[in-house]
Amino acid sequence: MAEVEEPQFSTLAERIAALNRQKNFQAPPSGAAGKRAPPPPPPVRTATESVVSTTSAPKIPAVPPRPTRAATDDAASVTTPPLPRRKTEDVNANLSNGNGNGKRGMAPPPPPTPSRSAAPPLPSRNSQKQMAPPPELPSRRPSGQTVPVRRGSNSSDASHISAISSLSLNGTSDGQGGGRRLPPTLDQAKLPPLPPSRRDAEAAAKKAAEEEAAARSPSLPPRPGRSLAVAQPDERSLALPTRRLPPGPSSFRPNSNGNGFGFGSGRGAAPPPVPLSSRPTFEQIDAVASQGGAATHPAPAPVAPSKEPCLICRDFSGPDNLAAVFPLARLPRQDVVGYLAKMLCDPFPSHTDKARAIFTWCHHNIRYDVESFFGGCVRHITAEEGIFEGKAVCGGYATIYEAIATRAGLECIMVTGHGKGYGYHALKPGERPPPPDPTGHAWNALRIDGGKWKLIDACWGAGHLDPPQGYKQSFAPNEFVVTNIDFGRKHFPADRAHFFREDGRIPSWEEYLVGDTDGEPAKTYGAAAREGLNENNFIPREKHISVYSRKVVQFRFSKMCEHWTPEKNGQGKQMLFLLKIHGVGGRREDLVPLDYDGAWFSVDVGARDLGCPGQKISLYGLDTIDGRDGRGVTKEEWLRKKGKVGSSFIGIYEWELVQ
């Protein structure tokens, strides 16, 4: 059989068109001519047309061809008709009737939902049958409580119940013993007594000091009659005290308080105590009274001063010389604290000499850390760090000193508190002291010979701040030898037990700031300590001197210790001290030499001769004269050469003149 060549179509549209031209969608018969043709497809219903007859050839709308690259233009011209919309009847006709045979037909409608039967009506309520009369209440028993006063309608029951009334005091509220009982009244709590105020404490301390002073000064015995036996005086009362009394003023000068008595310008303005050595005996008094003449006092024999030197005038040349031979460059890197403790302290059996050797070594090798102090970056350092760096602040000095002294076997502690050093400003007259703030400084306390606690300041002993130059390294031995009482004038510890005063007294914060001056103290230079002068007994102590309040002003001061000599403890012979004044009206400067009686340096100057308000009065020491050392120059020699040769001076003390 010959194969029929199947036509080829290039597009889907051509194939669809060819199928439309045929009678049916089946392939042409292969040779059976009398074969019966298949029946036509069933008619299609639409929403707007009737059923299409099967005899006529239906025209199937053309399906738009799928666009391709080759026939893009042809496919764009073909449109696809919308699909017919199936009706609800057709959907119901296609539903199965439940027997699974797929027979077409309408589905039977669902059975109707039976209606819910209503609830039976409630029977009507017979109010006459169900309402029963309420039972009768029992008769109320009359109350036995009587209310004396009728309360208002707005009064509170709670307040009447909680308050103490005549009923509650009897124990019950109804008189039958079944009411509410109130608790028994409590006694008042006994509070502890309040601590004494600062004013009371100061008053008590002042009273105790007055009683102590009264106990120390012996009272005068009553004067016996002439018929009574006269008691002989004790021979010890005729002895003069060790230190001489200061010379009296050359002329009368009224007191600053205006009372007209020349007893000085102190706060109390009290007369000086009567020396017991000058008191005459009762026999002498009776003899003078009977004769009507003047009593003659016996001349007491002077008492020689003690030969035993104190700490101030002690010879420390051995520890000071040894401390200068161990510079930082020669120290080992291992256990430097133990090395210094052995080298500085082992050669001396005395605890005082060991403490002095460490004190002097800090002066030679540790400088004040000015950069950290003014830069505000002070940090805590160990003893080893401070030694190797060679600089520290006050806390570093105290740490280094404590570490070396402890390794040397000394009992030493570091004390913190307030110090009147750089940046401190004294209170002005009438100014109130600030609140207590014992911070900002550090020093040491250690036991020396005899087991006594000694306060020292290694930082201030090594040098002092000098703002233009930064720091000046100068040795100040006074910070080692000064007494604890004088040490406490510039140091206030945070722990009051660290005053270590010889008299056991603990001063207050206000007393520490105010001091023993009527206002700001005068300015003291470092040369005063080197010359052995006691800055705490300078007169006048106050910085300001009034020119018009008095006629004569006395300037006087003494040495630290009666044993101190410039040849042994100082730098050579005795220095001559001169007072610089400006004359009447402040137009003529002059240098007035001071007199020295072996104990006191003094000079009296008229107030008008000092100068004008605003000018300064300075105390100088003669350093050089006529090109040579000025030590040993006497007052007479100075007056002969005054104004004829050149001289140089060292500042000691300074005051300021006011009205």
Side-chain angles (χ1 to χ4, degrees):
M1 184 186 317
E3 296 182 355
V4 179
E5 184 178 0
E6 185 175 349
Q8 302 293 328
F9 305 97
S10 60
T11 62
L12 180 60
E14 293 178 359
R15 181 176 179 84
I16 294 174
L19 291 176
N20 291 336
R21 289 193 296 271
Q22 294 181 1
K23 295 280 187 170
N24 49 34
F25 293 95
Q26 296 182 357
S30 58
K35 196 169 182 178
R36 192 176 179 177
V44 179
R45 294 178 178 269
T46 64
T48 57
E49 299 179 353
S50 61
V51 178
V52 181
S53 175
T54 59
T55 57
S56 61
K59 294 183 179 181
I60 303 173
V63 178
R66 186 175 184 181
T68 59
R69 295 180 179 178
T72 305
D73 299 335
D74 296 339
S77 62
V78 180
T79 59
T80 304
L83 294 177
R85 185 176 182 182
R86 176 174 291 183
K87 294 184 178 181
T88 308
E89 293 81 356
D90 298 338
V91 177
N92 295 333
N94 294 331
L95 294 176
S96 175
N97 59 0
N99 54 7
N101 54 6
K103 184 178 179 180
R104 291 178 177 271
M106 296 296 293
T113 303
S115 61
R116 175 179 290 181
S117 60
L122 295 175
S124 62
R125 183 174 181 181
N126 190 357
S127 60
Q128 296 179 356
K129 295 181 180 180
Q130 294 183 3
M131 292 296 293
E136 297 181 358
L137 296 175
S139 61
R140 185 174 181 181
R141 186 183 61 181
S143 177
Q145 179 180 357
T146 59
V147 181
V149 181
R150 185 174 181 179
R151 299 190 306 244
S153 60
N154 58 351
S155 62
S156 174
D157 293 340
S159 63
H160 285 276
I161 294 174
S162 60
I164 300 177
S165 63
S166 60
L167 297 177
S168 61
L169 290 176
N170 295 330
T172 61
S173 62
D174 55 357
Q176 302 295 333
R180 186 169 69 93
R181 294 178 178 272
L182 293 176
T185 58
L186 299 177
D187 296 335
Q188 294 293 334
K190 295 182 179 179
L191 299 177
L194 294 175
S197 62
R198 184 180 63 183
R199 182 178 300 176
D200 297 340
E202 293 178 357
K206 183 178 180 180
K207 184 177 179 181
E210 293 177 354
E211 293 178 355
E212 183 180 358
R216 291 180 179 179
S217 59
S219 59
L220 294 175
R223 182 175 180 178
R226 299 192 178 185
S227 60
L228 300 178
V230 179
Q232 296 295 331
D234 190 359
E235 296 180 357
R236 293 175 297 178
S237 63
L238 301 178
L240 286 174
T242 305
R243 186 184 294 267
R244 297 183 185 178
L245 295 176
S250 57
S251 62
F252 173 80
R253 57 186 180 91
N255 191 13
S256 59
N257 57 9
N259 57 10
F261 298 97
F263 294 145
S265 59
R267 290 184 178 180
V274 179
L276 301 179
S277 59
S278 62
R279 181 181 301 170
T281 63
F282 293 109
E283 295 178 352
Q284 295 172 350
I285 294 175
D286 295 337
V288 172
S290 61
Q291 297 176 3
T296 57
H297 297 175
V303 178
S306 175
K307 297 182 180 181
E308 182 181 357
C310 61
L311 188 63
I312 295 176
C313 54
R314 180 169 176 168
D315 184 14
F316 289 110
S317 57
D320 292 344
N321 294 333
L322 181 64
V325 298
F326 294 99
L328 295 177
R330 299 182 180 180
L331 297 181
R333 306 298 297 182
Q334 300 292 334
D335 193 15
V336 63
V337 175
Y339 174 81
L340 290 175
K342 180 179 180 180
M343 294 299 174
L344 296 176
C345 303
D346 284 358
F348 307 103
S350 171
H351 288 187
T352 304
D353 291 340
K354 294 179 180 181
R356 177 61 178 245
I358 304 173
F359 179 86
T360 309
W361 183 89
C362 291
H363 155 67
H364 288 299
N365 298 277
I366 308 298
R367 295 180 58 86
Y368 195 85
D369 193 355
V370 182
E371 295 78 8
S372 299
F373 178 77
F374 289 104
C377 53
V378 177
R379 60 184 180 88
H380 175 73
I381 61 174
T382 61
E384 291 79 5
E385 293 174 347
I387 293 174
F388 291 133
E389 293 178 5
K391 58 182 181 179
V393 294
C394 57
Y397 276 92
T399 301
I400 295 172
Y401 193 97
E402 180 187 12
I404 300 176
T406 304
R407 290 291 297 272
L410 301 177
E411 186 176 356
C412 180
I413 61 174
M414 182 174 68
V415 183
T416 59
H418 182 271
K420 296 180 181 179
Y422 179 80
Y424 168 75
H425 299 284
L427 298 178
K428 298 180 180 179
E431 183 180 0
R432 299 185 61 182
D437 185 22
T439 58
H441 193 45
W443 57 93
N444 295 99
L446 76 160
R447 292 187 183 271
I448 57 175
D449 296 343
K452 299 180 181 180
W453 282 99
K454 182 68 182 67
L455 298 173
I456 61 171
D457 194 334
C459 178
W460 290 2
H464 61 275
L465 289 174
D466 192 2
Q469 290 79 21
Y471 178 73
K472 185 176 181 180
Q473 189 174 10
S474 59
F475 189 53
N478 190 44
E479 300 299 333
F480 182 85
V481 301
V482 69
T483 63
N484 292 347
I485 295 179
D486 291 338
F487 191 92
R489 299 178 187 270
K490 295 184 178 181
H491 299 76
F492 192 89
D495 188 353
R496 304 296 178 87
H498 292 162
F499 271 105
F500 298 115
R501 290 172 59 105
E502 291 81 357
D503 56 359
R505 185 172 174 271
I506 299 177
S508 62
W509 171 259
E510 291 76 12
E511 183 181 356
Y512 161 75
L513 291 181
V514 174
D516 54 357
T517 60
D518 295 329
E520 185 178 356
K523 185 177 181 180
T524 308
Y525 293 95
R530 293 196 300 269
E531 296 301 323
L533 304 181
N534 187 358
E535 61 178 298
N536 297 315
N537 61 11
F538 267 79
I539 300 297
R541 288 293 309 277
E542 294 78 16
K543 177 180 179 181
H544 300 95
I545 300 176
S546 178
V547 180
Y548 307 115
S549 63
R550 42 188 169 177
K551 297 181 179 180
V552 178
V553 180
Q554 184 183 53
F555 297 86
R556 60 183 175 90
F557 53 90
S558 64
K559 297 182 180 180
M560 298 180 183
C561 174
E562 57 188 4
H563 309 286
W564 197 95
T565 59
E567 293 82 5
K568 182 179 180 181
N569 306 106
Q571 300 179 0
K573 297 181 179 181
Q574 180 61 55
M575 178 178 287
L576 179 65
F577 298 106
L578 305 130
L579 187 69
K580 181 181 179 181
I581 60 177
H582 302 276
V584 179
R587 295 184 297 269
R588 183 179 179 182
E589 293 185 356
D590 192 9
L591 291 173
V592 181
L594 275 71
D595 297 322
Y596 180 57
D597 60 359
W600 291 88
F601 299 88
S602 62
V603 64
D604 297 336
V605 183
R608 294 297 183 90
D609 295 332
L610 294 176
C612 295
Q615 293 180 333
K616 295 182 179 180
I617 303 298
S618 301
L619 178 67
Y620 293 109
L622 182 60
D623 187 22
T624 61
I625 182 172
D626 196 13
R628 62 183 181 89
D629 189 7
R631 295 182 178 275
V633 176
T634 61
K635 177 181 177 180
E636 292 74 15
E637 184 180 357
W638 160 257
L639 294 176
R640 290 195 306 267
K641 297 183 178 181
K642 179 181 177 180
K644 300 179 182 179
V645 296
S647 305
S648 62
F649 310 90
I650 299 176
I652 304 294
Y653 222 67
E654 187 178 82
W655 298 269
E656 184 176 345
L657 298 178
V658 295
Q659 294 182 0

